[in-house]
Structures are given as C-alpha cells and as structure tokens.
Amino acid sequence: MQVTLPDGSVQEVAPGARPIDIAQSISKRLAEDAIVARVNGELWDLNRPLESDAKLEILTTKNPESLEVYRHSTAHLLAAAVLELFPGTKLGIGPPIESGFYYDFQREEPFTQEDLERIEKRMWEIQARDLPYERKYTRKEDGLKLYADQPMKIELIRERAGDVFSEYTLGPGFIDFCRGPHVPSTKKIKAFKLLSLAGAYWKGSEKNQQLQRIYGTAFFTKKDLEDYLNRLEEAKKRDHRKLGKELELFTVNEAVGAGLPLWLPKGATIRRLLEEYILERERELGYQHVYTPDLAKVDLYVRSGHWEHYHEDMFPPMDLETEKMVLRPMNCPHHILIYESKMRSYRDLPIRIAELGTMYRYERSGVLSGLSRVRAMTLNDAHIFCTPDQIKEEFSGVMKLVERAYKDLGITQYSYRLSLRDPANKEKYVDNDAMWELGERVLREAMDALNLPYREARGEAAFYGPKLDIQLADVMGHEETYSTIQVDFHLPKQFGLGYIAPDGNRHPPVMIHRAIVSTMERMVSYLIELYAGAFPLWLAPIQATVLPITDRHVEYARKVHRQLEAAGLRSHLDDRNEKVNLKIREAQLQKIPFMLVVGDREAESDSVAVRHRKHGDQGSKPLAQFVAEARALADSKNVSE
Ligand code: TSB
Ligand code: ZN
C-alpha cells in the first residue's frame, strides 16, 4: 500500500498500517504532537488502519481541526465518568462547541456543583488509565439491541445509522454511537475543566424532554486552559447581566416575561443618550425620521414575504373580529408604505426614512440573554430608497457613519462579514437567483471600493437579500452582529414601488436596509461589557455625585447639585446621613466619574473637592471651573475619561 504525504513524498506501507505508526516512522516528535489524521480529505483516527492507498496528513495541536476532535474526545470522557458514577443515566449527545464541549444527560435527580467536582475527578482517573478510543462497527439490528437501555441513542441510530455503523469504546464500560474521530487514547487529553450546568431540550426542541447539560472546556496544555479560565473570570466580572443588576441598569421580571427587559432609570439614561446621539448624526446626514406602529395586519407580511420566510421568528397573530394582526418583526414594510404614500421622482432620491423602530421576534427561550438577545427591541433602523447608480455612494455614507459612531462610542475591535444565502437551503430565501447574484456583486464592489477586508458567511443572509454585517466580539471572543447594511431588490418589487426617472418612465428604486448602532438593547449590552460599567463621562448615567461632609453642608451641596444640573451635567446629591467615606466607597462601586466632596472650606470659597473614580484625589477647584471643565470633557466625547 502507498501513502502520499503532504510534501509529495510517497511511502510504501504494510496493508492495514495506522497513521500513528507512519507518524512514528517520520519522527517521534510528530507522533507525540499528533491528534488526528486526514486521509483523502477525511478526518481519521490515528489508530484506525488505512484501507487503501491514500493521501495522508498528520494533524497536530497546531491544526485548527484538532481542537474539536480533542474536545469531542473529552466529552466522551465526561460521559464515561458520568456512567461510572451514576449508572442508569441516559445519554444524549456530546459535541465540541466554540468554547469547549458539552454532553446532555437524562437523569431523575439534578446534578449538583459537588457532582461536577466528583465527575471531573473521575474523568482524571479514567484519563490516567490510558484507555484507547477504539472504533468498532456494528450492524444496525445488533446496535438497536446493544443500546436497548439508551432511548436517545436508539432514536439517533434509527434516524442516522446505515446498515453498519461506527461506534467508539472507551475501556470495557463505555460505548457511544459516534462518527468520530477521536484522539487515540485518554492519555492525550492533558487539560480540561467542567464549567457549568444548564437545562437543554433533547434535539433543541421545547416539545421534547428536558435534559441536563454539562459544559466543560479542554485545551492542549494546562497553560492554555489557565489563560482561558482567567479570561472567563474577567468576562464574568464584565458580564452585562451581572453589572446590569449591580449598577441598576435594567431588570428582567418573570411577570412580564423572558426576553422583555425593563430599563431602570440609569440604564434608560444610557439608552436615551445613545438614541439622541444617533438621531442627531442622522439628521445631519439627511435622514427623515418617522413614527410607525409596532403592529400591522398579517396580510402586510404575507405581501412582504416575511410570512413565508420569517414566520417562525414572529409572535403568533392576534385574532380580532375581522382581521388578524401581528407584532412586527421588522420595520421595513411600514417604511415602504411611507415611501409609497406619495409620488416620487428621481429628483427626490435618495430618500432616507429612519426610525428607532420597536420590533418583536420570537427568539427561543434558550438563546435569550440579558439585553444582548431579547424578544422586544428597538432598532436604529433606516431604509434608503435610491437609484441603482446611487447604491455605492449611499453604502459608503453608511460605512462612514458606522465608523464615526464607533469612534464616539469607543468601539475599536470589529470585523466585516459578507452574509450570503445558503445554496443548500434555498427555500429559506426569496427565489430569484439573478437578484441574489446582483446583490452580492454590489456589496462586494462597494467593499472593494472602500478597500475594506471581509470574510464570507453562507447561510447568514436576510431572506430578502445579502448583508454586510459588522461583527463585534465580547471578551471571550464570542461574536454577534451589530451594524448591518443590506441591499434589497426584492421588497421594492414585491410592493410595486417606483419613481419617475428622467426618461419619464416609472422604475423600481433599490432599497438599502441599514442599522448603525444595532438595537438599543444589544448596543447597551456591549457598552456595559466594553467599559465594565465604568462608562466614559459622556455616557455615564450619573456624571457627578455631590457628597456633603455633614448635615451642615447639605444646603451648599444642594446648590452645587443644582448648578451642575443647570449646566446639563447629570448630577446626584447624596444627602443621606452617612459618613462621607462610606458614600465615596459606594460611589466608587457605582463607577461614578466624579465625586464632589463639600465641607466648610468648599462652602466658604464656592468650590468643590474633586475626586475621580480612576485618578483619585484632584484637590479643590472653584465650582465654576469644575463645571466648565466637566462640560467640555463630556462634550468632547473622550472615551478614556
Ligand atoms: C436593518 N430589516 C433590517 C433593518 O432594516 C433588519 O431588521 N435586519 S436584521 O434582522 O439583521 O436586524 C438588525 C439588527 O438587529 C441585527 O444586526 C442585530 O444587531 C439586531 N438584533 C437582531 N435580533 C436581535 C435580538 N433578538 N436582540 C437584540 N438585537 C437583535
Ligand atoms: Zn429593513
């Protein structure tokens, strides 16, 4: 048998040779670093015999695919440990994920935090036994008997297995219906940790039974694991759900419902600042702001195509006496009707219709998270109606606005993603190949003209057209879409929109959907984490707190407070009968930029003793000087103060 290696060299090997033996023959080091093989393009166990002449590549810890295989193998280790400690537990699935792996289990009693520690200990014990992951083949009918006490595995075998299927054993006690591949033995697994417990539905559907999901992570080295865990700690401190509570920014109440946050006064202040900021930018750029209702007749969405392609993400309709209404999942149809409300000529274009539009999406309960993924949201939305010739300029104008807004908000880490339809799933999108190709070409050309780098993502387009998405990552590297620009030829056609061109004929306009600062919810969640709650002065819900030293100084403190307010600064007066040191400590925890301590000296000289949350004591200043300086700093939108 012959194997061809990546460098083009050909080796003669014995029939049934295993990739691990070949790696060994090349170098001891390679065999040590090896995680998995690639045989004729397919991932392959290192200890699985080759079946024919093959192109062989040994993948080490340096190859990105290796980590998934390694983590998936660790998930098997987890399941094996659970079965040893809790016999009778039913197994779901255990895939690798972006942050590690999980395994789903069904068991009457809930796992506890102590159980996780015991399971992890047992995983290390099994690891030390140096058990091989062995690939076996079973006939389907035998498999169904073998897994008789594992109903979820039976279901998967029924659905997925061919006449003969592969499974993996791990020592005598554990066997799992699995496609593989895996690392050759448990000794390969050097660093892992179980992280958390969560509920999950079998196959992700709320119609199925609830399972217990154990999350963990694994890395090739202890050092990588430690670095990751440190980052995780840091991320937990910044988690907007935690800070949202501590800083009294928002709350979610079961009585209202999941994914429907209530904005508390301080969170509402940040949101209002963001809203006012972006409305002002848009006014400068010729956007026209409108107000439209949060709901409409179902028929409107039948016409737009939402009903056919976006139905599952919408709240079900409300039955009225004579008609059906729905909460809108997007604002586009309303804006289209505004465009349509009067005759338009080419001289009117581009028309930029904007709204902080509230919309509703039936996000599944499992994906909801604080403010970042919600069911009721207000989007910084606009729809630009223009001629085909104007697309490029409008696109570039939108990009400039994104850059300006990100600069003022302090957002520096982002990347561009060209979101395309998934050719394997065409029924999810409107059917018009020529239109999709045109939209894609226009976006590529617009990006190239601006010389901006982007990557492509299949399956991430809107149902009506491709998108250029701007992706922001959180501390853990997890990405979400924030800004988006979408070129749409479908909706104008669907609604029969037109404008009178210079030739006197009616032509359809092109529609550009765009959101700059995303939804207020998602952007505020990002800003909370970006600043770990210590907002720059211009965004801080409370910019200064006035702290009288004793009751005698409350009157002067009130005067200071009023003057700050009169200058448009967001001030708070802490006139509680408490020690000033305690008030300072609390203000510091609330991350208020300025603490203004006032006592006899300050009252006599019309001044304030300034303390900054980051720079500490700043000494005394005349009140008027402090007001002017703070005002100027806030107006500058400096994000590092
Ligand atoms: C830009 N019709 C377009 C609009 O004209 C539209 O709705 N596009 S969208 O579907 O991509 O949504 C716009 C943005 O809303 C997304 O890029 C994302 O940043 C934000 N968003 C979407 N779903 C949620 C959600 N569940 N919670 C918070 N923000 C969301
Ligand atoms: Zn839209």
Side-chain angles (χ1 to χ4, degrees):
M1 243 165 65
Q2 284 190 333
V3 294
T4 311
L5 297 168
D7 63 5
S9 67
V10 178
Q11 263 196 31
E12 192 64 41
V13 300
R18 304 175 312 162
I20 189 68
D21 304 325
I22 299 166
Q24 196 81 44
S25 76
I26 297 169
S27 87
K28 208 170 155 239
R29 182 66 200 274
L30 181 64
E32 261 166 34
D33 290 347
I35 296 293
V36 70
R38 189 167 13 231
V39 174
N40 295 330
E42 184 191 344
L43 290 181
W44 192 275
D45 301 297
L46 287 170
N47 55 13
R48 177 175 170 191
L50 298 177
E51 291 161 3
S52 59
D53 287 355
K55 269 198 175 147
L56 170 71
E57 195 184 339
I58 304 291
L59 305 186
T60 67
T61 52
K62 304 242 154 38
N63 293 79
E65 299 93 327
S66 298
L67 192 58
E68 280 190 14
V69 170
Y70 181 87
R71 287 172 166 177
H72 180 49
S73 305
T74 316
H76 274 222
L77 194 57
L78 163 60
V82 167
L83 284 189
E84 284 192 16
L85 289 170
F86 308 96
T89 302
K90 311 291 179 223
L91 303 180
I93 57 165
I97 52 174
E98 208 179 304
S99 59
F101 61 86
Y102 67 77
Y103 213 109
D104 284 344
F105 302 98
Q106 192 188 27
R107 178 173 168 256
E108 282 300 312
E109 270 188 57
F111 289 118
T112 63
Q113 204 55 42
E114 290 76 62
D115 290 339
L116 282 197
E117 282 160 32
R118 279 179 67 205
I119 296 167
E120 194 177 300
K121 203 164 144 240
R122 182 59 66 97
M123 286 169 74
W124 282 115
E125 287 166 26
I126 302 176
Q127 186 268 359
R129 289 179 215 154
D130 195 10
L131 300 174
Y133 287 83
E134 268 175 321
R135 185 182 176 88
K136 290 205 166 149
Y137 297 92
T138 307
R139 284 177 30 229
K140 189 167 184 173
E141 49 186 286
D142 298 336
L144 291 172
K145 283 183 212 136
L146 186 68
Y147 287 94
D149 63 343
Q150 288 290 354
M152 290 178 280
K153 293 290 173 193
I154 292 269
E155 197 177 324
L156 293 179
I157 293 170
R158 285 223 166 90
E159 282 170 17
R160 298 187 193 170
D163 289 343
V164 173
F165 64 82
S166 72
E167 52 182 1
Y168 281 80
T169 61
L170 193 53
F174 183 74
I175 185 160
D176 199 350
F177 167 59
C178 175
R179 216 173 38 201
H182 291 281
V183 297
S185 106
T186 55
K187 263 280 162 64
K188 273 273 174 203
I189 298 174
K190 303 250 164 59
F192 60 84
K193 179 143 190 65
L194 296 185
L195 295 172
S196 59
L197 280 163
Y201 292 105
W202 171 235
K203 292 181 170 167
S205 161
E206 56 262 61
K207 295 196 192 87
N208 293 334
Q209 74 264 37
Q210 265 254 340
L211 306 173
Q212 300 187 59
R213 176 170 294 178
I214 298 182
Y215 282 103
T217 194
F219 287 89
F220 293 129
T221 67
K222 289 235 151 62
K223 164 95 177 46
D224 287 351
L225 176 64
E226 263 164 41
D227 288 350
Y228 175 82
L229 294 176
N230 286 339
R231 261 185 295 139
L232 198 61
E233 269 317 296
E234 183 57 26
K236 277 190 192 150
K237 276 189 236 150
R238 288 172 176 261
D239 189 325
H240 80 277
R241 293 165 299 184
K242 178 171 171 280
L243 288 171
K245 231 183 250 149
E246 289 170 9
L247 303 178
E248 298 178 13
L249 303 176
F250 71 97
T251 180
V252 180
N253 192 313
E254 259 314 304
V256 180
L260 302 170
L262 309 176
W263 294 79
L264 301 175
K266 282 189 244 171
T269 300
I270 301 169
R271 169 175 171 165
R272 199 188 60 244
L273 290 162
L274 183 62
E275 292 183 348
E276 284 169 355
Y277 169 79
I278 195 66
L279 292 179
E280 202 175 316
R281 295 289 80 69
E282 288 174 345
R283 276 198 301 273
E284 288 163 1
L285 292 167
Y287 284 83
Q288 296 175 284
H289 291 102
V290 299
Y291 294 101
T292 56
D294 293 3
L295 73 179
K297 290 188 195 171
V298 169
D299 292 344
L300 182 64
Y301 300 98
V302 172
R303 194 159 163 213
S304 65
H306 283 84
W307 202 246
E308 186 184 347
H309 300 288
Y310 205 71
H311 188 127
E312 289 193 348
D313 296 297
M314 296 170 64
F315 279 93
M318 295 165 253
D319 260 315
L320 307 188
E321 277 164 67
T322 55
E323 59 205 7
K324 279 185 195 300
M325 310 285 295
V326 274
L327 290 169
R328 64 176 171 192
M330 293 193 194
N331 309 313
C332 346
H334 286 94
H335 290 183
I336 286 174
L337 298 180
I338 287 182
Y339 176 89
E340 206 199 23
S341 67
K342 86 185 221 196
M343 278 277 278
R344 309 284 182 177
S345 121
Y346 71 94
R347 277 188 227 95
D348 304 326
L349 302 188
I351 291 173
R352 309 183 186 93
I353 296 176
E355 179 176 13
L356 292 170
T358 300
M359 54 196 205
Y360 304 83
R361 295 183 183 178
Y362 177 40
E363 300 277 5
R364 299 306 184 260
S365 55
V367 300
L368 295 173
S369 170
L371 287 180
S372 60
R373 190 171 288 273
V374 292
R375 286 176 170 167
M377 63 205 90
T378 300
L379 182 64
N380 162 224
D381 206 354
H383 295 93
I384 303 175
F385 299 85
C386 64
T387 68
D389 293 348
Q390 292 169 331
I391 300 177
K392 241 180 226 157
E393 198 178 331
E394 287 306 304
F395 184 94
S396 123
V398 170
M399 276 298 185
K400 276 205 198 98
L401 179 53
V402 170
E403 272 168 28
R404 165 86 196 271
Y406 281 14
K407 182 177 154 281
D408 286 336
L409 294 169
I411 301 170
T412 54
Q413 304 283 332
Y414 51 94
S415 62
Y416 303 100
R417 183 181 83 181
L418 179 60
S419 300
L420 306 170
R421 73 183 159 157
D422 178 0
N425 247 326
K426 279 195 173 174
E427 74 290 348
K428 278 172 58 186
Y429 310 92
V430 298
D431 181 21
N432 185 337
D433 287 342
M435 213 172 64
W436 279 93
E437 277 151 32
L438 179 60
E440 189 179 322
R441 203 183 71 221
V442 168
L443 283 178
R444 283 185 201 280
E445 284 174 7
M447 287 301 276
D448 291 344
L450 297 174
N451 221 345
L452 293 172
Y454 57 86
R455 73 199 143 78
E456 292 173 23
R458 306 234 156 245
E460 297 290 345
F463 75 84
Y464 46 77
K467 314 191 279 170
L468 192 286
D469 290 328
I470 303 183
Q471 305 291 110
L472 272 58
D474 67 15
V475 207
M476 296 311 296
H478 176 75
E479 263 191 17
E480 286 284 3
T481 302
Y482 284 74
S483 313
T484 183
I485 314 179
Q486 312 166 356
V487 180
D488 179 5
F489 302 94
H490 166 75
L491 288 175
K493 198 177 112 234
Q494 204 60 20
F495 282 85
L497 300 184
Y499 66 90
I500 306 301
D503 62 10
N505 292 324
R506 202 163 172 275
H507 290 266
V510 181
M511 212 174 142
I512 300 175
H513 307 238
R514 49 104 283 187
I516 308 297
V517 293
S518 178
T519 52
M520 299 307 115
E521 287 75 13
R522 185 166 287 181
M523 185 51 87
V524 170
S525 81
Y526 183 84
L527 294 174
I528 295 171
E529 297 190 1
L530 176 65
Y531 292 110
F535 296 97
L537 190 66
W538 85 270
L539 282 170
I542 298 177
Q543 296 172 311
T545 178
V546 189
L547 311 176
I549 292 177
T550 70
D551 274 354
R552 264 188 299 132
H553 309 112
V554 169
E555 203 186 307
Y556 175 65
R558 192 164 293 132
K559 178 185 148 193
V560 171
H561 171 61
R562 278 205 214 98
Q563 285 206 18
L564 294 174
E565 284 190 329
L569 290 164
R570 294 181 292 279
S571 164
H572 171 75
L573 172 63
D574 189 350
D575 56 3
R576 290 174 302 160
N577 191 6
E578 297 283 359
K579 290 245 159 42
V580 78
N581 278 337
L582 176 121
K583 294 183 189 177
I584 291 178
R585 246 193 337 270
E586 288 185 4
Q588 194 75 39
L589 285 175
Q590 287 290 310
K591 315 193 185 213
I592 300 174
F594 289 109
M595 291 153 259
L596 306 178
V597 180
V598 296
D600 288 334
R601 272 224 328 252
E602 286 74 25
E604 276 156 28
S605 58
D606 231 357
S607 61
V608 287
V610 181
R611 206 189 145 80
H612 186 269
R613 67 175 170 204
K614 196 164 73 186
H615 310 304
D617 228 332
Q618 307 282 289
S620 276
K621 269 184 196 169
L623 175 58
Q625 185 191 338
F626 172 78
V627 168
E629 285 174 7
R631 190 63 268 161
L633 188 56
D635 290 342
S636 75
K637 299 202 168 56
N638 182 332
V639 286
S640 39
E641 288 298 324

